[in-house]
Amino acid sequence: SARNDARLKFQVVKGEMSYNYDLPGDGTPIIVPINMGDGPYTFRVMQNTSGNNYVELFSVIENVNLSSETAPFLVPNMFVNYNESSAVVAKARELAQGAANQGDVVRNIYQWVVDNITYDHDKAAQLASATGYVPDPDATLASGTGICFDYASLGAAMLRSLGIPCQVITGYVSPDDVYHAWNMVYVNGSWQLYDPTFGAAGQRAGSYVAERVY
């Protein structure tokens, strides 16, 4: 968290990889994923000076030792925002009742999202050229509508709250190179593709090229 009148970014760096997150200047805390495996990370707070130029205000290097490769994808973060009292957690528990195994839980949640969340084309058009959008799983659940990022965040919140590792991934999908958000779910020892947005549209995508993982 930070307090500053200028625009701030929180940067997470490991090796050649880096992630930048909008950091509110009003003291609101954010939770960001530590998603690049074990090793030394650099965490930096950056202040905007002009245009796209930033200056470092603070940095620290910490060595990360994850309990498992799936650990970052079992907890909330700013893109998969939920807590014990969230509506999505209650809905996930309801959908998991009677399931024989994790595979059944994943199928139940996937089918519920496909059947009950409608793609919001107007919202997609409004956000087409925007940056910094952050989904709200409870808001998506309440409205019954959303864009692909909302679908992915909702699914991840439900699954993570039940102890099932789930990634939110943004990148490109062929054959039209559409910028998209989807999930990968860890079931039976491997990561499996989980894309309720295309399921809700009754479509099947081609190949997926991941760019960012949350």
Side-chain angles (χ1 to χ4, degrees), residues 15 18 44 48 50 54 62-63 66 70-71 77 80 87 94 109 116 122 127 135 138 144 155 157 163-164 182 208 214:
S18 66
R44 308 170 75 200
N48 182 253
S50 64
Y54 284 80
E62 294 287 349
N63 193 59
L66 298 172
T70 63
N77 62 46
V80 186
E94 175 189 322
I109 290 175
N116 291 276
D122 291 338
L127 294 174
D138 270 359
I164 300 175
W182 66 94
Y208 291 73
Y214 304 106

Side-chain angles (χ1 to χ4, degrees), residues 1-212:
S1 65
R3 291 191 178 276
N4 196 306
D5 292 333
R7 185 179 184 187
L8 300 175
K9 293 281 188 180
F10 185 74
Q11 187 178 64
V12 181
V13 183
K14 181 175 182 288
E16 299 298 317
M17 297 180 65
S18 66
Y19 284 75
N20 295 296
Y21 304 95
D22 288 328
L23 177 59
D26 62 359
T28 301
I30 61 171
I31 302 173
V32 303
I34 307 303
N35 54 0
M36 294 176 280
D38 293 343
Y41 282 68
T42 300
F43 302 99
R44 308 170 75 200
V45 177
M46 311 294 291
Q47 176 180 298
N48 182 253
T49 53
S50 64
N52 292 322
N53 299 315
Y54 284 80
V55 63
E56 180 184 292
L57 294 182
F58 172 82
S59 70
V60 63
I61 298 174
E62 294 287 349
N63 193 59
V64 171
N65 184 20
L66 298 172
S67 58
S68 72
E69 66 169 297
T70 63
F73 312 109
L74 280 166
V75 293
N77 62 46
M78 63 184 295
F79 298 109
V80 186
N81 191 10
Y82 66 93
N83 56 48
E84 187 66 20
S85 62
S86 296
V88 292
V89 173
K91 175 57 70 173
R93 290 171 178 168
E94 175 189 322
L95 294 170
Q97 289 180 0
N101 50 51
Q102 286 191 337
D104 284 349
V105 173
V106 173
R107 282 186 287 272
N108 290 350
I109 290 175
Y110 174 88
Q111 196 59 52
W112 187 91
V113 172
V114 166
D115 292 342
N116 291 276
I117 307 299
T118 303
Y119 191 82
D120 191 333
H121 294 278
D122 291 338
K123 183 177 182 179
Q126 292 170 3
L127 294 174
S129 58
T131 59
Y133 176 70
V134 177
D136 181 339
D138 270 359
T140 302
L141 184 71
S143 69
T145 65
I147 59 172
C148 57
F149 206 175
D150 297 316
Y151 277 81
S153 176
L154 175 62
M158 286 184 166
L159 292 168
R160 290 183 188 187
S161 74
L162 296 171
I164 300 175
C166 184
Q167 300 174 350
V168 173
I169 303 176
T170 58
Y172 294 87
V173 177
S174 67
D176 300 317
D177 285 333
V178 174
Y179 197 70
H180 186 48
W182 66 94
N183 300 108
M184 295 292 287
V185 182
Y186 196 79
V187 179
N188 296 326
S190 65
W191 290 103
Q192 305 291 328
L193 177 67
Y194 176 100
D195 190 351
T197 308
F198 278 103
Q203 301 174 355
R204 182 178 295 274
S207 60
Y208 291 73
V209 179
E211 188 178 66
R212 313 291 269 178

